[in-house]
Amino acid sequence: MPEEALENKMVIKDLSMYYTDFKAIEDVTFDVPARRITALIGPSGCGKSTLVRCLNRMNDLIEGVRVEGEVVLDSENVYQQGFDTIGLRRRVGMVFQRPNPFPKSIYENVAYGPKLVGIKDKEELDFIVEDSLKKAALWHEVKTILRESGQNLSGGQQQRLCIARVIAVQPEVILFDEPCSAIDPVATQLIEDLMAELKENFTMVIVTHNMQQAARVSDFTAFMLVQEQGQPGRLIEYGDTNTMFTNPSDERTERYITGRFG
Amino acid sequence: MRARGGEAVTGACFKGHAFADRENRVKVVMLACASVAILAILLIFLFIFRESLPSIRELGVKNLFFSTDWRPNVADPKAGHYGMLTFIWGTLLTTFGAMLISTPLGIGAAVFIDQVAPDSMARVVRRGIELLAGIPSVVIGWFGLILLVPAIARVTGTSGYGVAAASLVLVVMALPTITTLSAETLKSLPAELKEASVAMGATRWQTIYKVLLPSAREGLLIAVILGMGRAIGETMAVQMVIGNARAFAVSPFARTSTLTTRIVTDTGEASGIFRSALFAQALVLLLIAMVLIILIRVISRKREAA
């Protein structure tokens, strides 16, 4: 990594978020380097999922959510007035905790995003679907059953289908919100391998409660913690994953990654 | 039933006699309640079938169900003609017209309640629609009579009575059913579906149109069918605005009758085969209701399989 200068795809600056009156996260600041994987770790309820949902403004769906601070994507604050959230979500895709394919065919699941932006040409759609499924390492398993429901696949396959669905709109950033918490170890391995391959073209952020997973897949890690119940989640430490896991600078990080709490 | 009872008795042996006794007594009471309902349905069906039998025998299926010639003779029922096709047609036409309007309206309102309105406003709309469901049909019919009929008369230059007025009144009757059930269906969809679509950069409308409504299709269909059942059976409100003519409706603005309104209109003076022909109309209503219920069963089974 040191050989090339890292550019930041996203920068999170002094970000705080409230659910009506409750402050869920406070003053979080860290960078998301381009074409790297950044992991968000921390015990349950520390606000890491809430935080990642600020990056593509999915929290906007919840009534009463308020955000302070900035989330900068390519030098533009996504929370500035009049920012195009629809365009933002096309640039910053998301894979969820539970695989959530639409009750449509495998083909239609992947073609959903391209169709939204008005691509109608059958050949072009065919190409996008095949290409995306290949990039998501799912093509060979599903190429003969493209017309079957995406919901009939196994959990791990469904999650890769969701990744293909995101890839199909060619986002710049992909957010993974605990993508492996609902699938088995073998499928988890497949997805981790897949993420390593996708690093060439995409910037990724992964939320995980699994420290080994963060250590395996990520280049950078941010550790979040709620000090006491009722307090907001704060960023305790952010840095290079290797350094963080071998030589953490904060005592709380060390206690967490060595499994002494959380 | 017998097998399940036996199971309970063996189970109860472990719990002691007093408990088993009470359990069995509760069971008998429940069984009695269920039996009353089943018995009532069975008796209604048998009774209606028996009472309509003379007209079916006397006139034949063709003259009774597939003829539009309805000229009852009160003094000498046997001399009359009792073809009910006009009224079957009237029922189908008013129901179809009502569904044409109440389906998009009801599903639209459901989408508004579940997806568009902020919680506080959704609650107000929901209460309003529940209230609408509680208004007696005679009140709705009355509104139809004093507001709708004159308005239609003014616009179209007809009497104002007829299928159109009846359909519009039925829209009000079917709307609460369709809206409430559709909103329930939409609410029961997993939140992940909406999230997935929004996270792909879909607008709210694209999400509703391309993901939520197709995913809720079966439930919405059931909502519409139940609303249809409401519309088919409605009597009072329709009778007040449809004009109660015996003419086969070719225009939505012509006076006609439905099965239910014809039964109500004629039942006072009918005897003999005239009366039996009215029961045959009730039989048709019952059959339509059964078809709708079977349809719902088929659709729900399909939904469970998916």
Side-chain angles (χ1 to χ4, degrees):
Chain A
M1 253 156 286
E3 59 267 19
E4 52 170 320
L6 284 174
E7 64 179 289
N8 285 330
K9 186 69 191 172
M10 296 185 95
V11 178
I12 290 88
K13 279 188 209 160
D14 303 322
L15 190 76
S16 298
M17 202 209 79
Y18 302 80
Y19 291 112
T20 319
D21 292 327
F22 174 70
K23 197 174 199 177
I25 49 179
E26 183 176 73
D27 285 337
V28 171
T29 299
F30 69 98
D31 302 332
V32 178
R35 286 183 297 285
R36 292 289 181 275
I37 298 177
T38 305
L40 290 176
I41 62 168
S44 304
C46 71
K48 52 193 194 300
S49 280
T50 302
L51 174 61
V52 83
R53 281 161 179 259
C54 288
L55 306 190
N56 63 346
R57 293 189 56 171
M58 280 301 279
N59 285 328
D60 290 14
L61 296 189
I62 304 166
E63 251 183 278
V65 160
R66 194 156 47 82
V67 169
E68 286 166 6
E70 290 182 10
V71 173
V72 176
L73 172 65
D74 287 344
S75 75
E76 244 191 315
N77 178 15
V78 307
Y79 279 102
Q80 75 196 19
Q81 272 241 307
F83 193 85
D84 169 24
T85 53
I86 304 297
L88 168 68
R89 294 183 190 128
R90 284 181 187 148
R91 293 172 64 192
V92 182
M94 188 167 212
V95 175
F96 293 83
Q97 192 166 352
R98 285 210 347 227
N100 55 359
F102 300 124
K104 298 172 184 278
S105 70
I106 293 167
Y107 184 97
E108 287 300 328
N109 263 283
V110 183
Y112 183 76
K115 280 183 171 178
L116 284 181
V117 296
I119 297 173
K120 290 193 186 84
D121 182 60
K122 172 95 170 49
E123 262 172 54
E124 196 180 349
L125 284 174
D126 286 353
F127 174 80
I128 293 173
V129 170
E130 180 174 342
D131 186 55
S132 307
L133 285 168
K134 276 179 176 161
K135 283 183 179 149
L138 189 61
W139 174 250
H140 290 288
E141 290 157 67
V142 301
K143 62 183 174 190
T144 56
I145 53 168
L146 290 175
R147 297 288 157 197
E148 279 176 34
S149 171
Q151 294 186 327
N152 293 343
L153 296 172
S154 74
Q157 288 175 322
Q158 287 191 19
Q159 199 59 302
R160 276 179 286 145
L161 177 61
C162 293
I163 295 173
R165 183 173 66 184
V166 169
I167 292 173
V169 289
Q170 296 179 296
E172 297 155 36
V173 182
I174 306 178
L175 310 172
F176 293 83
D177 184 5
E178 302 199 26
C180 301
S181 62
I183 58 182
D184 66 74
V186 176
T188 298
Q189 177 69 49
L190 273 170
I191 286 179
E192 288 178 9
D193 294 347
L194 179 58
M195 289 181 74
E197 272 175 45
L198 294 175
K199 219 157 81 170
E200 262 183 55
N201 298 308
F202 301 97
T203 302
M204 285 175 276
V205 178
I206 178 171
V207 170
T208 177
H209 58 249
N210 179 335
M211 281 172 288
Q212 285 73 33
Q213 183 169 56
R216 280 192 305 260
V217 301
S218 74
D219 305 296
F220 296 90
T221 300
F223 170 56
M224 288 183 73
L225 190 62
V226 171
Q227 297 278 61
E228 266 171 69
Q229 229 190 340
Q231 284 195 4
R234 294 192 185 88
L235 184 75
I236 302 300
E237 187 169 350
Y238 166 77
D240 175 80
T241 298
N242 279 334
T243 316
M244 186 122 141
F245 276 84
T246 51
N247 189 18
S249 58
D250 194 290
E251 189 219 351
R252 291 164 294 184
T253 315
E254 187 185 349
R255 289 206 305 164
Y256 181 69
I257 59 178
T258 52
R260 264 175 284 171
F261 73 89
Chain B
M1 277 294 177
R2 204 167 292 156
R4 273 174 65 185
E7 219 171 87
V9 169
T10 20
C13 287
F14 296 100
K15 296 174 198 157
H17 276 296
F19 199 82
D21 273 2
R22 201 174 65 194
E23 186 128 306
N24 280 334
R25 243 179 291 154
V26 170
K27 202 164 269 178
V28 168
V29 172
M30 299 295 187
L31 188 68
C33 295
S35 309
V36 168
I38 304 238
L39 212 67
I41 295 166
L42 216 66
L43 280 177
I44 288 173
F45 203 87
L46 280 175
F47 180 71
I48 289 180
F49 185 70
R50 198 193 68 184
E51 294 298 315
S52 54
L53 216 51
S55 61
I56 298 173
R57 263 204 217 114
E58 202 86 12
L59 302 163
V61 170
K62 187 167 168 285
N63 287 334
L64 186 63
F65 298 111
F66 298 103
S67 154
T68 60
D69 186 8
W70 180 269
R71 280 177 291 151
N73 190 321
V74 177
D76 179 14
K78 275 197 187 306
H81 297 264
Y82 303 97
M84 65 170 84
L85 192 61
T86 300
F87 316 129
I88 296 177
W89 174 244
T91 292
L92 295 180
L93 208 59
T94 48
T95 305
F96 179 75
M99 288 302 113
L100 217 57
I101 300 169
S102 57
T103 299
L105 221 56
I107 293 177
V111 168
F112 179 78
I113 289 171
D114 191 63
Q115 293 293 324
V116 183
D119 287 350
S120 51
M121 195 194 283
R123 205 169 307 129
V124 172
V125 177
R126 205 188 288 271
R127 293 288 167 276
I129 285 167
E130 279 164 12
L131 217 62
L132 193 62
I135 297 177
S137 56
V138 66
V139 176
I140 292 173
W142 194 41
F143 268 96
L145 189 65
I146 57 174
L147 293 176
L148 213 55
V149 171
I152 292 173
R154 210 172 309 128
V155 174
T156 61
T158 60
S159 71
Y161 293 93
V163 173
S167 287
L168 287 174
V169 160
L170 287 179
V171 167
V172 181
M173 315 279 314
L175 202 56
T177 310
I178 298 180
T179 307
T180 312
L181 290 171
S182 299
E184 282 308 310
T185 303
L186 288 174
K187 201 175 151 200
S188 72
L189 290 177
E192 286 97 351
L193 280 181
K194 182 182 174 185
E195 284 190 334
S197 175
V198 171
M200 296 291 299
T203 63
R204 187 198 301 219
W205 298 115
Q206 286 171 324
T207 300
I208 291 167
Y209 185 69
K210 296 186 180 208
V211 174
L212 299 183
L213 289 180
S215 306
R217 197 176 43 211
E218 281 90 358
L220 297 179
L221 209 57
I222 290 175
V224 171
I225 292 173
L226 283 171
M228 201 190 280
R230 181 96 210 269
I232 285 173
E234 178 49 37
T235 312
M236 187 44 95
V238 175
Q239 202 206 11
M240 292 166 83
V241 300
I242 200 165
N244 300 316
R246 298 167 195 172
F248 191 88
V250 281
S251 151
F253 305 109
R255 291 163 177 266
T256 183
S257 296
T258 64
L259 291 167
T260 53
T261 64
R262 185 44 51 186
I263 293 172
V264 163
T265 311
D266 285 352
T267 197
E269 50 190 7
S271 65
I273 198 152
F274 184 11
R275 182 169 168 278
S276 173
L278 291 180
F279 272 102
Q281 293 196 31
L283 190 67
V284 172
L285 280 170
L286 214 59
L287 289 177
I288 294 175
M290 268 174 59
V291 168
L292 292 183
I293 287 165
I294 290 168
L295 219 59
I296 289 171
R297 293 296 331 146
V298 170
I299 293 167
S300 348
R301 205 163 302 151
K302 203 180 124 201
R303 182 160 63 161
E304 273 156 33

